[in-house]
Amino acid sequence: MRRLLRPLTEPFTYTRWLHMLIPCAVGSVWLFISMDTPWALMIFAVPVGLVPGMRLAEGVQAQLLLMPSERGRPDAAISAAPAETWAARWRTVVWLEVRLLLSVVAGFATVWLSATAVDLVLTASGSGPSDDWLIRGVEPHWWYALLAPVPLLLLLAVVVICGEVITAAARRLLGPSPVERLTALEERTEQLLERNRIARELHDSIGHALTVAVVQAGAARAANDPAFTERALAAIEETGRAALDDLERVLRVLRESEAPVGERPTLAEADRLLDSARGSGAKVDAEVSGPVELVPGPVSREGYRILQESLTNVLRHSGSVPVRVRITVADGWLELEVTNPLTGSIGTPGRGSGLRGIRERAALLGGKAKTGPYDGEWRVHASLPLDGLR
C-alpha cells in the first residue's frame, strides 16, 4: 500500500502533471483559432519538430519538469542540446506526437474527473447533477458525497501512469543516442585521465620539493654547522623555486586548455634532480648512455617524473644512502633504473601513490615498470618505448 501511495508524495508527480497540461493550453488556443481542424495540431508538430532548436527547448523543459533531480548532470538521461542530425530531428517529431497524445489523455482526465467529483458533491447536496457530466439524469442522494473521492483517485492514478509513460518516452526520444553516449563517455574518460595526470604531476613535483626541504632542514639542524646550514638553505631555495615553476606549469594547463605541454621538464634536465638529491646528502652515482636529448618529448617528460619520484622515495624513506642511477637509450627503448640499499619503510612495496604513479606513467606509454626489493636493494626499473605506442 505504501508503495502505491508513494508517488503521490513525490514532487515530480505534480511537475509531470504540469508538463502534460502545457500542450493542453496550446491546444485550447489552437481550437479557438481553428475549431474545425483539431487534428491539424498533430500535423503542425512535424515541421516544428524538425527545427534543431526545438529539441533543445523540449529537452530543457523535460529535464526541469519530468526529471528535476537530473537537471544539469552531465550523465542525465534526457539531453538538452540542439538536434545535430536528421535522426535526432525525427526523434523530436515523434516525441512531440507522443507528448500531444498523452496530454490529451491527461487533460481529459483532469477536466472530466474533477468535474465529476464536483458533480457528485452537488448531487448529494440536493442541487441535482449537471447535464454536462458523467452522472447526468440521476436522482439526488446524500451518499453520493461518499463517492466524490473516487474520480479524484482515478485522476491521480491516470496522472501517475501517464507521468511514467511520458518520462520513459523522454528518456528514449530526447535522450542521447548510442553514438552520443559513446562520445560523452570518451570525453569523460579523457577528463579523468587528464585529472590523474595532473595529480601525478603535483604529487611528484611538490612531493619531491617538500621531501628535499625536510631532509635538508633536518640535516642542517643536526649538523649545527653554519656553513652546512647555508648550503642546505641554498638547496632548499633552489628546489623550492623549481617546484614553483612546475606548479605554475600545471596551473597554466588548468587555466588554459590550449597551453602547451612542451614546457614540462625532460630528462635533459635530469642533472637538476641529481644535484638536488646530492645536496640532500644522498651519494648519487649516475651514468647516462645514449642520446638522451633525442628522446621524444612525451617519453622524456614521463621519464623525468619517474626519476623524480624514485629519488624522492629514496630521500623520504632511506635518507642519505648511496643511490645508483642508470639511464640508457638504445634499440628504441629508454631504460631507467634507480637502486639503493634496502633500508627503512621503502622496503614495503606499494606504499602510497608514488609507486603506483610510476607504473601508471610507464603503462600509458606502452612500457612497463617494476618496483620492489631485488638482491638486497630497492630497485625501480622502467622500460619505455621511444615511440610511446608499443
Side-chain angles (χ1 to χ4, degrees), residues 22 33 45 78 85 154 158 164 180 226 235 246 257 277 297 358 361:
I22 290 175
I33 297 174
I78 300 175
T85 63
L154 289 175
V158 170
E164 291 293 336
E180 293 171 338
D246 288 342
S257 59
I358 290 175
R361 289 181 183 277

Side-chain angles (χ1 to χ4, degrees), residues 41 43-55 58 89 92-93 96:
L41 186 60
I43 301 175
F44 182 70
V46 175
V48 172
L50 293 177
V51 177
M54 194 63 187
R55 186 174 183 83
E58 289 294 318
R89 296 183 186 184
T92 307
V93 171
L96 291 177

Side-chain angles (χ1 to χ4, degrees), residues 201-212:
E201 291 287 325
L202 289 175
H203 174 273
D204 294 350
S205 177
I206 306 304
H208 176 77
L210 291 177
T211 298
V212 170

Side-chain angles (χ1 to χ4, degrees), residues 261 264 266 295-304 365 384 386-388:
V261 296
R264 290 161 49 198
T266 65
V295 174
V299 180
S300 187
R301 288 190 288 269
E302 297 304 321
Y304 179 93
L365 293 174
L384 307 178
L386 296 185
D387 57 14

Side-chain angles (χ1 to χ4, degrees), residues 313-319 340-352 355 378:
N313 282 338
V314 174
L315 296 175
R316 179 182 298 146
H317 300 298
S318 297
N340 63 277
L342 189 58
T343 60
S345 58
I346 197 171
T348 305
R351 183 172 179 175
L355 299 181
W378 180 265

Side-chain angles (χ1 to χ4, degrees), residues 255-320:
R255 289 193 298 262
E256 306 171 13
S257 59
E258 301 299 326
V261 296
E263 298 179 0
R264 290 161 49 198
T266 65
L267 279 177
E269 305 171 59
D271 288 342
R272 189 178 73 179
L273 293 177
L274 301 176
D275 291 341
S276 177
R278 292 188 182 101
S280 298
K283 302 175 181 61
V284 180
D285 175 21
E287 181 179 319
V288 179
S289 59
V292 175
E293 65 281 356
L294 299 181
V295 174
V299 180
S300 187
R301 288 190 288 269
E302 297 304 321
Y304 179 93
R305 292 304 185 192
I306 291 174
L307 176 61
Q308 185 179 52
E309 178 60 24
S310 301
L311 293 175
T312 300
N313 282 338
V314 174
L315 296 175
R316 179 182 298 146
H317 300 298
S318 297
S320 301

Side-chain angles (χ1 to χ4, degrees), residues 4-58:
L4 293 176
L5 295 178
R6 183 177 179 182
L8 302 181
T9 63
E10 299 288 352
F12 60 75
T13 298
Y14 304 97
T15 59
R16 290 173 180 177
W17 191 0
L18 175 61
H19 183 270
M20 290 183 289
L21 291 181
I22 290 175
C24 292
V26 177
S28 299
V29 176
W30 180 274
L31 291 176
F32 179 78
I33 297 174
S34 180
M35 183 65 71
D36 297 332
T37 55
W39 291 102
L41 186 60
M42 304 288 290
I43 301 175
F44 182 70
V46 175
V48 172
L50 293 177
V51 177
M54 194 63 187
R55 186 174 183 83
L56 171 61
E58 289 294 318

